[in-house]
Amino acid sequence: MSVGRKVYIFFAAICLIYYAQSINMIYLKILHRLFFLLVFLCISACGGGSSSSKEESNDDSLSLTVQGYVEVGSYTGVEVVFRAGDEVFNADLDTYGNYTVELEIPESEVDSFVYGEAIFPADSGIKLVSALGSFDSLFEISGDDGILVRSELLGVNITSVTTALSALLEIENNGGITSDSQYSAAYKKINSSTMLDIAAYINLSLDRPQEEEFFLPDGVGDIYELATNFNLVSLYILQLRSDFAEEFEMSKRAIFENKKLVNSSPSSFLATEDTYYLPNLNLRLTLRADGTGELVGMMDRVAITWSRTDEGLILEGADIAVNYFYSDYVTENRTRINRMNWVFEGDTVDSVILDLVHYDHYPNGEYQDGSFVEQVSMSSAIRSSAELPVSSTIELGKLYSMPNTVGITEFVELSGELPQWSLVSVLDMRFYGDYETGGKVDIFVPEIYADGNSITTELSGTWSLSGENQLRVEVSSGRSFTYTFLDSEFTDYDWAFVAYESDGRVRAEFDAVFAKEVEGWDKEKVSGIYQIGNYGQSLRLVQDYYWYELNVDGSVSEVYAYDLDLDGDFSESEINVTKGLWQLDENGVVVIRHYSMDGESCIPDVWDPVAGSKCRIDFQRDLDLYSIDESIFYIKKTLTNFSYDSSGEDSDVSNFEGQLLSRVLIYPSKTEKVSVRPLEVPGL
């Protein structure tokens, strides 16, 4: 092509760009890229020029343009500032909330982390933040034109949702994010439900600036400062959510419907078609390229179809049973997913927001479907790229506590009926063989009897791999577990999604996987204070405390503190202390017992009260230690509750003097050994 021809095309492209401004911003973006390509061709025809359209100035600096939107609500006079390390850049904001900012960074500082901030008038108390990423990573994903837009990074829009995320990232990181690795590590721990609650409050503050109910607490400078104080923001939002439940739900709906805050697909760098694990909803969603898919949950598995529209990802057939109960008839609690949008994305974890409907269904037709409740919910969406190879997760020959989704009567016949409110959510398993062909698995099932005693029955099954990332355990003909191990720090556990299949039905859930690394508790080190922490950024749990103190004299105190009135303080009526006894049994398991007499807590003279004693066992906790990570103890817990024999006399079936088993729970747990009490308790 001649130079004259190229120059002609060059000027024609300029004309097309100006014409496109009156047509559509999407075409403008495409023609901008064409323009820069033609500039390159023209310069190349003259024998010189650069191989890239991105600006690299003579003093070894890099330039990047960021274009996005600020959720200004009903405010004016909003300033937009970008920070990259020590560099500060001011952005131009138009009347529609759109901004453009030019960033120029020395090459030696390209790893600087970039924040976008929207600073509102001083008396508003509003400050919105978006943690974007390192300059280097933003520069790379911006493409050849050096212009970063929302189709390339969802976080360029500075909104109530980005502010909530940025605050939670800072909390998890114990300070501001300064690198992509810090961002990635903190992002994997984000509780999306908490993020939505904080975003809903910020959204309300933006839309209702004159309403005192949503003003900041005294002593707080701005809304971002509040959001980064997890204890304070939790208390504040819980209070508001209790008083203004309808307004909060409306705010969440407004977020879902706002196309500037959510997107109907991930960025252009990630495919929509994938398998997503949704822990906040206890679901696994598969979207295939042909528009079909599957939804698997606690009680059900259904085939679905999906399509993308401007209003979101539309799901058809995503209607699944999540629970059921019996009375005179069967009632199913069902959840239907209507639409799904994206909020954020990460290397292996996205954040999605969903339009749900919960309702009751009567499968035998006694009543019409009813009790419909619409809800907007947010969840982490763990992609298939987070699935871990089984060979890197399960060590052959080692004992593991594995998630179980069904009752133990699926495996063993009990001599009596297990109480209704009992749950065995983990089973011990040990695997033999090799990863290529599979092998044998030993499964250890607790048999629990009406007197509270139990024995362990050992079953034999087989295991094999489905691909590299799924472990299939065949218990018997037609019954199997399929485990998928996930690289996720959502709960700080090694985590798995397990689906149990039997006779065409499926039950699935997420739970922890523990390896048995220790033989038992160290008798010389077991005494101390053990706290159950708020793992997973729950707003509610941050206001509650639970710990137990194992004293060297064999006594134990369990402390529950509930801030019932959400005033930030704990009155005497909000703190419950239960005394008891503890021992280390012959298997190295810590056993804690609490006793009662006439409905009141008591302490017997001996571990096993004599026949006819009025001070009888109320409940017992068995703490089977599996592993220790510094001060964190991973435990399989067995909670056993007892009740008095209805006759009021000692029963022949009970080892606990007339008390019968009323409930048993076996589940994985994690506790932290701390040096001081989380809360001062008078008299303790």
Side-chain angles (χ1 to χ4, degrees), residues 283-303:
L283 297 171
R284 183 182 68 191
L285 173 65
T286 300
L287 303 177
R288 304 187 187 98
D290 63 358
T292 65
E294 181 184 64
L295 188 64
V296 179
M298 292 182 64
M299 300 285 178
D300 208 354
R301 174 173 55 196
V302 295

Side-chain angles (χ1 to χ4, degrees), residues 302-600:
V302 295
I304 67 168
T305 59
W306 65 275
S307 59
R308 187 185 296 113
T309 71
D310 290 341
E311 304 303 318
L313 198 76
I314 306 298
L315 300 176
E316 299 287 348
D319 191 320
I320 194 166
V322 296
N323 199 4
Y324 64 88
F325 59 90
Y326 297 94
S327 54
D328 295 332
Y329 44 82
V330 178
T331 303
E332 288 183 352
N333 303 133
R334 300 187 68 87
T335 294
R336 181 170 66 243
I337 305 177
N338 293 323
R339 288 183 290 162
M340 183 172 82
N341 281 311
W342 270 256
V343 184
F344 298 106
E345 59 192 28
D347 296 335
T348 58
V349 182
D350 296 349
S351 295
V352 296
I353 188 167
L354 306 102
D355 176 23
L356 308 175
V357 177
H358 307 289
Y359 67 99
D360 291 339
H361 172 66
Y362 305 91
N364 297 324
E366 293 89 352
Y367 299 97
Q368 291 184 342
D369 295 347
S371 302
F372 290 90
V373 177
E374 296 183 357
Q375 181 191 19
V376 170
S377 181
M378 193 179 287
S379 176
S380 298
I382 305 168
R383 287 178 172 264
S384 61
S385 55
E387 296 175 357
L388 295 172
V390 175
S391 58
S392 68
T393 308
I394 296 296
E395 182 180 334
L396 301 181
K398 182 177 286 189
L399 187 69
Y400 287 87
S401 173
M402 303 287 284
N404 170 47
T405 64
V406 292
I408 58 175
T409 53
E410 289 277 321
F411 314 108
V412 295
E413 292 185 7
L414 301 183
S415 60
E417 184 177 353
L418 197 63
Q420 180 180 2
W421 300 113
S422 296
L423 178 67
V424 180
S425 64
V426 291
L427 296 173
D428 284 349
M429 298 186 188
R430 182 179 280 114
F431 300 87
Y432 304 93
D434 62 75
Y435 299 111
E436 291 185 1
T437 61
K440 173 190 172 186
V441 56
D442 292 334
I443 305 171
F444 302 91
V445 181
E447 292 189 50
I448 304 163
Y449 300 100
D451 61 0
N453 286 319
S454 66
I455 63 171
T456 299
T457 297
E458 182 176 336
L459 304 180
S460 182
T462 60
W463 68 273
S464 60
L465 299 188
S466 177
E468 293 184 348
N469 301 336
Q470 291 189 324
L471 171 64
R472 184 176 176 86
V473 176
E474 296 279 353
V475 182
S476 61
S477 178
R479 297 187 296 171
S480 66
F481 293 99
T482 300
Y483 294 96
T484 307
F485 305 100
L486 300 171
D487 179 17
S488 170
E489 299 182 32
F490 181 73
T491 58
D492 290 336
Y493 290 117
D494 289 336
W495 223 25
F497 179 81
V498 54
Y500 175 79
E501 296 183 62
S502 175
D503 299 326
R505 63 186 179 93
V506 64
R507 298 187 66 171
E509 64 180 32
F510 297 85
D511 216 330
V513 177
F514 292 167
K516 186 70 170 175
E517 304 285 0
V518 296
E519 291 302 318
W521 293 84
D522 186 332
K523 184 177 181 180
E524 303 301 320
K525 299 179 180 179
V526 65
S527 62
I529 302 172
Y530 296 86
Q531 181 183 6
I532 308 298
N534 178 17
Y535 305 110
Q537 294 182 332
S538 167
L539 291 178
R540 174 67 260 185
L541 292 179
V542 77
Q543 302 304 323
D544 299 337
Y545 294 94
Y546 165 55
W547 73 90
Y548 48 90
E549 301 179 15
L550 303 179
N551 303 312
V552 293
D553 63 358
S555 65
V556 61
S557 297
E558 290 199 21
V559 183
Y560 299 85
Y562 302 103
D563 186 10
L564 298 174
D565 56 8
L566 298 175
D567 64 354
D569 296 317
F570 292 90
S571 64
E572 184 177 345
S573 63
E574 293 175 321
I575 300 175
N576 181 51
V577 180
T578 305
K579 303 281 189 175
L581 303 175
W582 72 273
Q583 284 187 356
L584 194 64
D585 74 8
E586 65 276 8
N587 297 315
V589 174
V590 169
V591 181
I592 299 172
R593 285 183 179 177
H594 293 275
Y595 305 81
S596 67
M597 180 171 59
D598 299 328
E600 299 290 334

